[in-house]
Amino acid sequence: MNVNFNNRDPVYLQIVRYFKEKIAIGELEPGEEIPSRRELANRMKINPNTAQRAYKEMEEQGLIYTERNHPSKITTDTKTLGKVREELIIEAVDMFVTSIRSINVPVEELLDLVRVKYTANDDKEA
Amino acid sequence: MNVNFNNRDPVYLQIVRYFKEKIAIGELEPGEEIPSRRELANRMKINPNTAQRAYKEMEEQGLIYTERNHPSKITTDTKTLGKVREELIIEAVDMFVTSIRSINVPVEELLDLVRVKYTANDDKEA
DNA sequence: ATGGGTGTATTATATGATTAATACACAATG
DNA sequence: CATTGTGTATTAATCATATAATACACCCAT
């Protein structure tokens, strides 16, 4: 339950991103219960309303569902879950390519840079 | 003088970015005069203070310099200019790798995605 | 049945970043 | 010398976000 908040993006969106990553790598499984709004707020030292907003966002995206008086759970719709990983990847690649295209970097040079950087941190991150 | 403003980042930073890109690809040369604050504001339909803030930021980074009552000019310090391109690239790569690492994508798969996306738009952008 | 845990909704406030409005000093030019 | 165009500075207004304070309905276990 470690989230490295940055100051740039809204907290509630960073929460959503956090859960999407967990889903993408299979750390959160279909139907699995996630912390209640208040519980999450406690753990992450944020306001319960911010937690609520994040969950509401996830619910609207079909990532979680909620039964009365129970903490929300990860959706069992595997089709939806499967898309999460792909979407995160596509989104990252798109953003990257968009930002780098205007600088006219040769393809192979660019790929080398990515490869080096990507593999270099293999140990650090854990 | 076309800037595709997004709603996400501050306008003044997008302006800075715009000039850095021009510098990186050599479209702006050492000592070259750039539009005055007010002129830029007119062209880009932004507030003059926003233009001022962008220029102030660039001045602090040593990218431009200003003589009294004259529009600012690109620095003649080629060392500083040379770094711009590299920094833009490194920054983009770092952000990309950071955002993608948490998803555990195989390196080669990732590089393929980047290659395809990067080369696909070769014509469109112009 | 009551106390504590759920989700949800409403309203208000604070905060910080950004943008806007205005004014000032200076120089060049006609 | 007055007008216009520079950069600069100060203050105000705006805006999105985040937080806060409450309140409500519901369920479950004690």
Side-chain angles (χ1 to χ4, degrees):
Chain A
M1 195 60 70
N2 288 343
V3 185
N4 295 327
F5 289 121
N6 66 59
N7 306 342
R8 190 108 214 108
D9 306 307
V11 172
Y12 79 99
L13 287 181
Q14 296 184 56
I15 305 275
V16 172
R17 164 87 190 189
Y18 170 81
F19 279 98
K20 282 188 177 181
E21 287 178 356
K22 294 296 185 191
I23 290 173
I25 63 179
E27 200 167 305
L28 285 176
E29 298 176 355
E32 182 172 344
E33 184 174 296
I34 61 179
S36 78
R37 275 81 166 159
R38 292 175 176 90
E39 172 67 14
L40 186 81
N42 277 337
R43 291 200 210 169
M44 294 192 172
K45 311 295 182 190
I46 60 175
N47 192 279
N49 294 306
T50 305
Q52 158 65 3
R53 181 153 187 197
Y55 279 22
K56 187 180 180 183
E57 178 72 22
M58 288 193 282
E59 189 137 25
E60 286 171 354
Q61 293 186 25
L63 300 177
I64 64 175
Y65 66 97
T66 311
E67 294 165 335
R68 18 185 342 103
N69 296 305
H70 286 278
S72 301
K73 295 173 183 171
I74 302 296
T75 182
T76 55
D77 182 339
T78 53
K79 186 171 173 57
T80 298
L81 290 181
K83 283 182 184 171
V84 173
R85 179 173 181 276
E86 186 186 6
E87 282 177 2
L88 286 183
I89 297 173
I90 296 299
E91 181 184 306
V93 171
D94 280 6
M95 279 182 45
F96 175 56
V97 169
T98 298
S99 78
I100 206 70
R101 280 208 99 273
S102 48
I103 311 174
N104 299 338
V105 187
V107 193
E108 294 308 324
E109 179 186 338
L110 186 63
L111 293 180
D112 280 347
L113 286 171
V114 173
R115 176 186 285 108
V116 169
K117 183 75 184 176
Y118 190 66
T119 56
N121 297 6
D122 265 353
D123 332 78
K124 291 186 193 173
E125 300 279 348
Chain B
M1 196 58 69
N2 287 343
V3 186
N4 294 326
F5 289 121
N6 66 59
N7 307 343
R8 188 110 213 103
D9 305 307
V11 173
Y12 79 98
L13 287 182
Q14 296 183 57
I15 305 276
V16 172
R17 166 85 190 189
Y18 170 81
F19 279 96
K20 283 189 175 180
E21 288 178 355
K22 294 296 186 191
I23 291 173
I25 63 178
E27 200 167 306
L28 285 175
E29 296 177 357
E32 181 172 345
E33 185 174 296
I34 60 179
S36 78
R37 276 80 166 157
R38 292 176 176 87
E39 172 67 14
L40 185 81
N42 277 335
R43 290 202 213 167
M44 294 192 172
K45 311 295 181 191
I46 61 175
N47 190 280
N49 294 303
T50 304
Q52 158 64 2
R53 179 150 189 196
Y55 279 22
K56 186 180 181 185
E57 178 73 20
M58 289 194 281
E59 190 137 26
E60 287 171 355
Q61 292 185 25
L63 300 177
I64 64 176
Y65 67 97
T66 311
E67 295 163 334
R68 4 178 2 95
N69 295 305
H70 286 278
S72 302
K73 295 174 182 169
I74 302 295
T75 183
T76 54
D77 183 337
T78 53
K79 187 172 170 56
T80 298
L81 290 181
K83 282 182 184 171
V84 173
R85 179 174 182 274
E86 187 187 4
E87 283 178 3
L88 286 182
I89 297 173
I90 296 299
E91 181 185 305
V93 171
D94 280 6
M95 278 183 44
F96 175 56
V97 169
T98 298
S99 78
I100 207 72
R101 277 207 99 275
S102 49
I103 310 172
N104 299 337
V105 187
V107 192
E108 295 308 325
E109 179 185 338
L110 186 63
L111 293 180
D112 280 347
L113 286 171
V114 174
R115 175 185 287 108
V116 169
K117 183 74 185 177
Y118 191 66
T119 56
N121 297 4
D122 265 353
D123 332 77
K124 292 186 193 174
E125 301 277 347

